Amino acid sequence: MKPNSGTLVINIMNGGKAEAYEGVYQCTARNERGAAISNNIVIRPSRSPLWTKEKLEPNQVREGDSLVLHCRPPVGLPPPIIFWMDNAFQRLPQSERVSQGLNGDLYFSNVQPEDTREDYICYARFNHTQTIQQKQPISVKVFSMDSLNDTIAANLSDTDIYGAKPVTERQPVLLTPTGSTSTKVELRGNVLLLECIAAGLPTPVIRWIKEGGELPANRTFFENFKKTLKIIDVSEADSGNYKCIARNILGSAHHVISVTVKAAPYWITAPRNLVLSPGEDGTLICRANGNPKPSISWLANGVPIAIAPEDPSRKVDGDTIIFSRVQERSSAVYQCNASNEYGYLLANAFVNVLAEPPRILTPANKLYQVIADSPALLDCAYFGSPKPEIEWFKGVKGSILRGNEYVFHDNGTLEIPVAQKDSTGTYTCVARNELGKIQNEVQLEVKDPTMIIKQPEYKVIQRYGQVSFECIIKHDSTLAPTVIWLKDNDELPDDERFLVGKDNLTIMNVTDKDDGTYTCIVNTTLDSVSASAVLTVVARPNPPFDLELTGQLERSVELSWIPGDENNSPITNFVIEYEDGLHESGVWHYQTEVPGTQTTVQLKLSPYVNYSFRVIAVNEIGRSQPSEPSEQYLTKSANPDENPSNVQGIGSEPDNLVITWESLKGFQSNGPGLQYKVSWRQKDVDDEWTSVIVANVSKYIVSGTPTFVPYEIKVQALNDLGYAPEPSEVIGHSGEDLPMVAPGNVQVHVINSTLAKVHWDPVPLKTVRGHLQGYKVYYWKVQSLSRRSRRHIEKKILTFRGNKTFGMLPGLEPYSSYKLNVRVVNGKGEGPASPDKVFRTPEGVPSSPSFLKITNPTLDSLTLEWGSPTHPNGVLTSYVLKFQPINNTHELGPLVEIRIPANESSLILKNLNYSTRYKFYFNAQTSVGSGSQITEEAVTIMDEAGILRPAVGAGKVQPLYPRIRNVTTAAAETYANISWEYEGPDHANFYVEYGVAGSKEDWKKEIVNGSRSFFVLKGLTPGTAYKVRVGAEGLSGFRSSEDVFETGPAMASRQVDIATQGWFIGLMCAVALLILILLIVCFIRRNKGGKYPVKEKEDAHADPEIQPMKEDDGTFGEYSDAEDHKPLKKGSRTPSDRTVKKEDSDDSLVDYGEGVNGQFNEDGSFIGQYSGKKEKEPAEGNESSEAPSPVNAMNSFV
């Protein structure tokens, strides 16, 4: 026995005989609850015995007779496999005539001379022992009838009657089975094998039938050349009479095999384990069937129930054991045995009487995920005795689930047939019986279904084109989809032309092989969707082929062809072209076209043409290549069928008539020698026709004709065979001459300053001397009445077709003098001009002034200069100037209007607001009205001292509050200092927005800490232009105007007066504070015996402008020692009126430091050197040694 197992191992590899272990074995498993037993296991050793020795006589057989070679193998276990071979170990060939029977014998329906041999050997292969046993060779000798007759003749006298009969044909006789009937018993589920082997000459053919029924379909097979009938998986319904019929040309033989299908026992209801609680009832059922019907017997713990310990709760009723009010001692293993003569069945059933509280086997908080609108199955696997009752709840305090929307399965599973999104949540399973209860929670998540919202669509694409299939999906955000593309339900070809994108499939350079169905499959862990579309690759059709001409007649022929491949686009029509090899070899002409369903056409032909035809197929994609030309067909000559077309008679000179026509094409001549008969006569005059025959040309000139006279003309074709039909007549005219007279009574009516209407009387038609084409009006501007200056005269011409007697002259210039005349026009040219007519246009509104410049901006004034209009269009009366201020949010202030005399060209506009942008509108006026205006914008400058002064004066606009202005920048390579001025409520929260100039990227935003009016932008790119603006939060989100600066060597993005900048004022305040501290230290040291007489110098050089520092005006006083703190440069003081001279304010910060890289730290502080040389300079006059303001200090450091 194996440890911890019921397996019994018998090992004879180390000695011992298998026969010692032969017998019937049964396994019993036992514990305190009962005993179970296994089926009987029979162990028998395999055997491969030798053939018994026997003396085999040679088989001498007459040709055509039947023969059976018996094998009779030894009985082995398991039975051997039989086969026949020769001495060379080659299988003997078998056929309908020679075959091996089920018993191993070799059957000859009739022997032939080639069957003679001495090595018919029967082999028996015992697979279990892996041995092959060989029977002694069997000799067969076949005597032919000719040789047999010769032998008999040699042994008999001439007077004896001798001679064997020649080989004769014989009707079939069954070799096996013998007799007319036999029986066969087979067990249910086995394979039924029935065999019939017949003798006869010719070799009989075997056929099988079932009497009174059909052979079972799908389970019937024929083997061994139909000599064996095989029916698999037989059942009782296969019982009956099976007839085999052997037939040849001489007759037939048959045998009936009566088949009976018996059955070993098989289960109808096998007993099942019972789990009962004390006091419950139950049953064990053991039902089996078989043929014959099996008997049922019961065992308890492996002991026949009749002698097993009694149990008052147990009652046996045939194939059923009934349990009533069981107790725990009723637990046992019961065996049911169903037996008949063909076998038995044994089954164990455990009756377990338990008293167990409920247990739930499903893991706690198990997560279930399903797709919306699909079923959700929530497991609650349980165990308990008595069987627990299962209830389901949703949520922590939910009520019990009931109703048709839920399905409760016996195994505890809760089914939600159609789960919705609101089905998501926690579900509680409660199992209870009389011994207790237990609960378990599971989680359900309902996901949105995966959908293909844009499915691939049917596409038709031309060969070598590009096609794209879309597959746009929508899925639950918590699921990760994968998209797979298939072609014809298989993987995409491994071809770089197939490009799979996020939501599409693109095929480049499409070929015919790409035809097919493309499927987009979207998979998630919970669902899968797909959509398909068909791709059809189309192309121009292949050219037709096999052109054939039939039914050739003088004026017709039938053309037929075979269409080429249409390449997935139906052929709509065929175009037939022809070549005239006689007149225009190599040139193909259109003949006709037919529908795409037609492959023959009757073609009309012309005489004297050597035809070749070709066909072109057309579909929606385009035209195919032309087919190969057909054979040539030359038609006979004939008279011309038609005359030249487009006959005309037009004179080129006043005394001639030029007759022209379109010549016939080569195939229209219908024969050789094509000529034309040209005829003419004057119309409405009783003259005879004048005719001339000309060669194959297209023009003839008739000379000596009157001027512009109508003629009747006709042109007729002829060739060597005769004339064409009579041609029709056309009317022509001889040559034209110039008109003789000019139009009269020319009148001009001026409608407005740019439009006039002219009238004239028509000329008599006889004086036109040609076809009247119309009238031409020549007009030109003589001079402008406003300028009185002459210029180059440019004449303009207007043509009025037909017999018109008036016209409009548009586009005239106002306030100008014009002249015009009128002339009549025919096909030859223009007639004489009418006398010049003078007229004037009235005044109009002027054009816009030629320019408007605004210069010399000051605090409260601007200078305007302008140029007069390029086209005054009259006498200027005045100029009108309108202007209005614009604040930082582009809001417009009140509009002010000023009229200016016409002789002025400049104006100084005063009393404007300082540092304010204005928009100007300027136009000129005449007595008619105002002309178009020109606009311009300009800005007044800021107070030089940086001090806001109150605005005064009429028409001035007060600044709008709050506002941010004067945004300035000072940039280094990688950072920039931004400063600004703010007017408005206190405690504003500022921010700085910046970005690369000219870029469409979003603005970057930096928050300014506190209420500072400067900020340092860091991390900038050297040599880059930036845009910047400043805003305040919480105040309607207003911002300053944009400023632009560039990082790199340039100090700032634009040159400004740094003395007016807030950051510089703060910087100077810090410097002054340091100087003040230094002075205080010096003063203290002097009082202690130092050498700095500060107080005396202060008293001696008092400056009335020096004031203590004040918080309201931002000024401060400083003290300086005469020896150590001298003025740095003479004359650099700021004037007492606190203005900064222009030459002092244009300084660059580069002058005050040691180069670009030494001007600012990253925090914006100024680090240039302020001090000059250490040599002492004498003070001049009564000047103070102070630096009275940041502006003064800045202007001193030069």
Side-chain angles (χ1 to χ4, degrees):
M1 292 279 290
K2 281 188 176 181
N4 302 319
S5 170
T7 302
L8 176 63
V9 178
I10 300 175
N11 189 349
I12 60 173
M13 300 297 293
N14 297 325
K17 294 185 177 180
E19 289 80 0
Y21 299 97
E22 186 173 2
V24 179
Y25 294 77
Q26 189 174 46
C27 173
T28 301
R30 187 184 308 276
N31 65 9
E32 70 275 5
R33 292 277 184 172
I37 60 175
S38 70
N39 286 333
N40 289 341
I41 302 171
V42 179
I43 294 180
R44 297 177 64 186
S46 62
R47 297 181 178 88
S48 52
L50 299 177
W51 250 289
T52 57
K53 291 185 178 182
E54 56 180 328
K55 185 178 181 180
L56 300 178
E57 297 292 336
N59 291 279
Q60 297 184 359
V61 191
R62 186 176 59 176
E63 180 184 357
D65 288 350
S66 62
L67 174 66
V68 179
L69 300 181
H70 299 287
C71 181
R72 299 189 185 96
V75 178
L77 190 66
I81 297 174
I82 306 301
F83 52 92
W84 290 80
M85 302 178 71
D86 58 15
N87 280 331
F89 297 100
Q90 298 296 318
R91 285 184 176 270
L92 297 176
Q94 299 190 21
S95 62
E96 289 184 344
R97 184 178 65 84
V98 182
S99 61
Q100 177 182 316
L102 293 176
N103 61 356
D105 294 345
L106 189 62
Y107 291 87
F108 295 79
S109 294
N110 51 80
V111 295
Q112 302 295 329
E114 61 266 22
D115 295 330
T116 298
R117 64 190 308 156
E118 296 180 352
D119 56 352
Y120 286 93
I121 304 173
C122 180
Y123 287 86
R125 185 174 63 204
F126 298 90
N127 285 341
H128 200 73
T129 60
Q130 297 182 351
T131 59
I132 296 177
Q133 301 292 346
Q134 172 183 339
K135 187 181 178 72
Q136 291 180 349
I138 301 175
S139 174
V140 174
K141 185 175 182 180
V142 179
F143 293 95
S144 65
M145 296 309 300
D146 293 338
S147 61
L148 185 60
N149 287 335
D150 292 341
T151 302
I152 295 176
N155 295 315
L156 296 178
S157 64
D158 293 339
T159 60
D160 293 331
I161 300 175
Y162 70 93
K165 295 181 179 180
V167 177
T168 59
E169 296 178 340
R170 292 177 287 105
Q171 67 180 15
V173 176
L174 289 175
L175 297 176
T176 183
T178 59
S180 59
T181 62
S182 61
T183 60
K184 175 76 172 179
V185 175
E186 192 57 78
L187 292 182
R188 181 178 184 268
N190 288 352
V191 176
L192 173 65
L193 294 174
L194 302 180
E195 181 181 54
C196 274
I197 300 177
L201 187 66
T203 303
V205 176
I206 306 298
R207 186 170 66 92
W208 292 89
I209 61 172
K210 182 180 181 182
E211 294 181 348
E214 298 290 335
L215 295 175
N218 303 323
R219 294 188 293 116
T220 301
F221 303 92
F222 298 100
E223 297 178 348
N224 196 18
F225 309 98
K226 288 192 176 182
K227 299 175 185 179
T228 302
L229 172 65
K230 178 180 179 180
I231 301 177
I232 63 174
D233 193 21
V234 294
S235 64
E236 289 84 346
D238 295 324
S239 298
N241 293 330
Y242 292 82
K243 178 187 286 188
C244 69
I245 303 171
R247 184 184 303 276
N248 66 10
I249 58 176
L250 299 180
S252 64
H254 67 270
H255 184 91
V256 177
I257 305 174
S258 179
V259 175
T260 303
V261 178
K262 300 290 185 178
Y266 55 90
W267 290 118
I268 297 176
T269 303
R272 296 182 180 179
N273 295 338
L274 278 180
V275 178
L276 302 175
S277 58
E280 281 190 333
D281 301 336
T283 57
L284 281 180
I285 300 175
C286 177
R287 291 178 183 162
N289 201 358
N291 186 12
K293 188 173 180 62
S295 60
I296 304 296
S297 61
W298 287 96
L299 296 89
N301 294 326
V303 178
I305 201 166
I307 61 175
E310 292 187 5
D311 184 352
S313 64
R314 178 183 66 210
K315 178 183 178 182
V316 178
D317 184 9
D319 58 7
T320 303
I321 299 178
I322 303 171
F323 297 93
S324 302
R325 302 182 63 81
V326 295
Q327 300 301 320
E328 288 193 34
R329 64 176 179 274
S330 300
S331 295
V333 180
Y334 291 86
Q335 292 81 32
C336 173
N337 185 305
S339 304
N340 67 10
E341 59 186 279
Y342 297 107
Y344 75 97
L345 295 173
L346 180 67
N348 292 277
F350 178 36
V351 178
N352 192 3
V353 181
L354 287 177
E356 291 285 340
R359 281 185 289 165
I360 294 180
L361 308 179
T362 300
N365 292 314
K366 184 175 181 180
L367 176 62
Y368 295 88
Q369 295 178 328
V370 297
I371 295 297
D373 298 326
S374 63
L377 296 173
L378 309 182
D379 293 333
C380 183
Y382 64 91
F383 177 76
S385 181
K387 182 179 179 181
E389 294 181 358
I390 302 298
E391 294 177 334
W392 282 92
F393 300 84
K394 183 180 181 184
V396 179
K397 298 182 179 180
S399 59
I400 187 170
L401 299 180
R402 293 188 178 88
N404 295 330
E405 56 184 313
Y406 301 103
V407 177
F408 302 95
H409 293 272
D410 291 340
N411 63 355
T413 298
L414 170 65
E415 178 181 354
I416 306 174
V418 182
Q420 302 295 334
K421 291 290 287 186
D422 57 4
S423 301
T424 299
T426 301
Y427 289 80
T428 303
C429 165
V430 178
R432 60 164 56 89
N433 64 13
E434 60 190 36
L435 300 178
K437 78 169 186 175
I438 191 172
Q439 67 181 36
N440 185 39
E441 292 182 352
V442 295
Q443 309 294 326
L444 174 63
E445 291 181 358
V446 181
K447 308 291 187 179
D448 290 326
T450 304
M451 295 184 294
I452 300 178
I453 58 178
K454 185 66 180 296
Q455 298 187 356
E457 298 177 348
Y458 172 75
K459 294 293 180 74
V460 177
I461 189 69
Q462 293 189 34
R463 187 188 298 160
Y464 310 123
Q466 175 179 325
V467 66
S468 181
F469 291 106
E470 287 188 295
C471 184
I472 301 177
I473 64 174
K474 178 182 179 183
H475 62 91
D476 192 283
S477 60
T478 61
L479 299 178
T482 58
V483 180
I484 301 173
W485 286 91
L486 302 179
K487 178 183 184 293
D488 297 329
N489 295 323
D490 203 352
E491 293 183 356
L492 291 177
D494 185 13
D495 193 330
E496 61 184 9
R497 297 181 301 108
F498 289 78
L499 306 178
V500 178
K502 176 183 177 183
D503 50 15
N504 61 13
L505 168 65
T506 301
I507 307 174
M508 313 288 291
N509 196 21
V510 173
T511 65
D512 293 337
K513 295 186 298 182
D514 299 331
D515 251 2
T517 301
Y518 291 83
T519 304
C520 166
I521 302 177
V522 184
N523 294 317
T524 68
T525 55
L526 298 180
D527 62 347
S528 176
V529 292
S530 64
S532 299
V534 175
L535 173 62
T536 301
V537 180
V538 296
R540 295 185 300 171
N542 293 348
F545 56 95
D546 282 356
L547 273 66
E548 183 179 4
L549 295 177
T550 56
Q552 291 91 338
L553 300 175
E554 290 187 1
R555 293 295 182 103
S556 68
V557 69
E558 185 176 273
L559 173 66
S560 60
W561 62 90
I562 297 176
D565 192 344
E566 61 185 19
N567 292 325
N568 291 330
S569 181
I571 296 175
T572 56
N573 57 290
F574 293 99
V575 177
I576 292 90
E577 296 180 340
Y578 71 92
E579 175 196 29
D580 182 0
L582 191 62
H583 303 95
E584 293 179 294
S585 179
V587 179
W588 290 90
H589 302 276
Y590 173 85
Q591 170 87 8
T592 186
E593 61 184 80
V594 296
T597 57
Q598 188 173 328
T599 57
T600 60
V601 62
Q602 193 76 20
L603 301 176
K604 293 182 179 180
L605 307 180
S606 296
Y608 195 54
V609 176
N610 192 13
Y611 282 99
S612 291
F613 299 97
R614 69 183 186 183
V615 183
I616 299 172
V618 182
N619 62 10
E620 290 186 356
I621 311 305
R623 296 161 62 101
S624 72
Q625 292 294 323
S627 68
E628 293 294 324
S630 69
E631 60 180 305
Q632 291 186 333
Y633 176 51
L634 177 63
T635 55
K636 295 181 179 180
S637 302
N639 293 1
D641 293 326
E642 51 189 311
N643 288 301
S645 60
N646 197 22
V647 177
Q648 293 182 341
I650 301 174
S652 60
E653 298 294 336
D655 60 349
N656 73 6
L657 172 65
V658 179
I659 302 174
T660 60
W661 61 89
E662 288 187 10
S663 301
L664 298 180
K665 299 184 183 300
F667 72 91
Q668 293 175 313
S669 65
N670 287 4
L674 177 64
Q675 293 178 305
Y676 300 101
K677 179 181 179 182
V678 183
S679 304
W680 67 93
R681 68 181 178 183
Q682 189 173 337
K683 191 175 182 296
D684 299 329
V685 177
D686 192 14
D687 282 348
E688 295 294 329
W689 288 92
T690 301
S691 299
V692 62
I693 294 178
V694 298
N696 188 9
V697 296
S698 60
K699 181 173 70 172
Y700 182 77
I701 300 176
V702 180
S703 302
T705 62
T707 301
F708 198 65
V709 172
Y711 279 86
E712 294 177 327
I713 304 168
K714 58 184 180 179
V715 181
Q716 186 177 22
L718 68 154
N719 62 16
D720 291 349
L721 278 76
Y723 284 88
E726 186 67 22
S728 58
E729 301 172 5
V730 298
I731 303 299
H733 287 80
S734 57
E736 299 180 68
D737 205 347
L738 294 177
M740 301 174 61
V741 299
N745 193 24
V746 177
Q747 301 292 330
V748 178
H749 173 60
V750 178
I751 298 176
N752 56 38
S753 61
T754 60
L755 182 65
K757 185 176 183 181
V758 59
H759 292 264
W760 62 87
D761 290 339
V763 298
L765 290 179
K766 291 184 179 180
T767 65
V768 175
R769 297 200 295 180
H771 295 287
L772 175 64
Q773 294 186 355
Y775 293 87
K776 285 187 178 180
V777 177
Y778 287 75
Y779 66 101
W780 61 95
K781 180 181 175 181
V782 179
Q783 67 177 13
S784 172
L785 299 178
S786 59
R787 296 176 182 253
R788 301 297 180 183
S789 59
R790 294 185 175 274
R791 61 176 182 175
H792 172 69
I793 296 176
E794 179 183 356
K795 289 189 177 182
K796 298 181 180 179
I797 304 173
L798 286 178
T799 301
F800 300 94
R801 299 292 179 185
N803 196 20
K804 205 169 184 181
T805 59
F806 67 92
M808 307 298 290
L809 305 179
L812 303 177
E813 294 186 13
Y815 205 51
S816 300
S817 175
Y818 282 87
K819 286 185 179 181
L820 65 78
N821 58 49
V822 185
R823 310 178 191 197
V824 66
V825 182
N826 66 9
K828 187 69 173 179
E830 300 176 3
S834 66
D836 291 348
K837 188 75 174 179
V838 179
F839 66 97
R840 294 182 176 181
T841 55
E843 289 188 73
V845 297
S847 63
S848 62
S850 57
F851 68 88
L852 175 62
K853 294 193 299 184
I854 303 175
T855 59
N856 300 328
T858 66
L859 286 174
D860 61 352
S861 68
L862 294 168
T863 299
L864 282 69
E865 298 177 357
W866 60 87
S868 59
T870 306
H871 302 286
N873 295 337
V875 179
L876 295 182
T877 58
S878 63
Y879 292 100
V880 177
L881 173 66
K882 300 177 182 179
F883 64 95
Q884 58 188 148
I886 307 173
N887 64 12
N888 288 336
T889 60
H890 304 288
E891 295 177 352
L892 300 175
L895 189 66
V896 179
E897 180 175 331
I898 301 175
R899 289 189 175 273
I900 306 169
N903 58 352
E904 297 291 339
S905 61
S906 65
L907 174 68
I908 298 177
L909 198 60
K910 300 182 178 181
N911 296 327
L912 303 176
N913 288 340
Y914 62 89
S915 188
T916 301
R917 179 175 293 276
Y918 287 89
K919 186 167 186 177
F920 298 90
Y921 314 88
F922 193 67
N923 63 279
Q925 287 188 333
T926 64
S927 59
V928 177
S930 298
S932 56
Q933 64 184 13
I934 186 172
T935 63
E936 191 59 80
E937 292 185 11
V939 182
T940 57
I941 67 173
M942 185 179 179
D943 188 349
E944 289 87 339
I947 302 173
L948 302 178
R949 294 161 49 158
V952 296
K956 296 178 69 176
V957 179
Q958 297 296 326
L960 299 175
Y961 293 98
R963 67 176 179 175
I964 299 174
R965 63 177 190 167
N966 290 343
V967 177
T968 56
T969 57
E973 289 186 358
T974 60
Y975 58 89
N977 190 14
I978 314 298
S979 62
W980 60 90
E981 293 181 6
Y982 169 69
E983 295 177 4
D986 295 336
H987 310 298
N989 296 321
F990 299 107
Y991 60 87
V992 176
E993 292 182 320
Y994 69 100
V996 177
S999 173
K1000 295 183 179 180
E1001 296 180 357
D1002 293 339
W1003 290 79
K1004 299 179 181 178
K1005 186 175 181 180
E1006 299 287 347
I1007 304 299
V1008 179
N1009 294 328
S1011 58
R1012 293 185 300 174
S1013 60
F1014 67 90
F1015 185 79
V1016 178
L1017 291 177
K1018 301 179 182 179
L1020 304 180
T1021 303
T1024 304
Y1026 286 90
K1027 56 185 178 181
V1028 66
R1029 64 188 181 190
V1030 181
E1033 296 180 341
L1035 296 173
S1036 302
F1038 71 89
R1039 305 184 188 92
S1040 68
S1041 59
E1042 293 181 16
D1043 192 19
V1044 177
F1045 66 91
E1046 184 174 354
T1047 56
M1051 187 59 194
S1053 61
R1054 59 180 183 179
Q1055 294 294 329
V1056 296
D1057 187 354
I1058 64 173
T1060 65
Q1061 305 306 305
W1063 65 269
F1064 186 77
I1065 295 173
L1067 180 62
M1068 291 299 99
C1069 290
V1071 173
L1073 182 59
L1074 292 174
I1075 295 173
L1076 180 59
I1077 294 172
L1078 180 61
L1079 291 176
I1080 293 173
V1081 172
C1082 292
F1083 178 76
I1084 295 172
R1085 292 182 62 185
R1086 185 176 181 85
N1087 288 342
K1088 293 181 179 181
K1091 63 177 181 178
Y1092 302 98
V1094 178
K1095 179 61 178 177
E1096 290 80 353
K1097 288 185 177 290
E1098 175 184 346
D1099 295 338
H1101 302 283
D1103 192 328
E1105 290 187 1
I1106 298 176
Q1107 301 292 335
M1109 181 177 290
K1110 300 178 182 179
E1111 295 182 358
D1112 55 349
D1113 61 5
T1115 62
F1116 55 87
E1118 292 180 347
Y1119 298 89
S1120 176
D1121 185 86
E1123 296 180 353
D1124 300 316
H1125 302 279
K1126 302 175 181 61
L1128 299 179
K1129 185 176 180 182
K1130 180 179 177 181
S1132 63
R1133 300 282 303 277
T1134 300
S1136 59
D1137 60 358
R1138 297 183 183 272
T1139 62
V1140 180
K1141 294 181 181 179
K1142 184 175 181 180
E1143 58 269 24
D1144 295 329
S1145 63
D1146 288 339
D1147 298 329
S1148 171
L1149 289 177
V1150 179
D1151 300 333
Y1152 307 126
E1154 295 180 342
V1156 172
N1157 296 329
Q1159 294 175 9
F1160 289 92
N1161 283 331
E1162 289 190 3
D1163 61 355
S1165 61
F1166 192 87
I1167 61 172
Q1169 295 185 1
Y1170 296 96
S1171 59
K1173 296 181 180 180
K1174 298 297 290 186
E1175 294 86 344
K1176 297 182 180 181
E1177 296 181 3
E1180 297 184 13
N1182 195 31
E1183 291 180 345
S1184 170
S1185 59
E1186 58 153 349
S1189 74
V1191 177
N1192 296 339
M1194 193 64 224
N1195 289 327
S1196 298
F1197 295 150
V1198 294

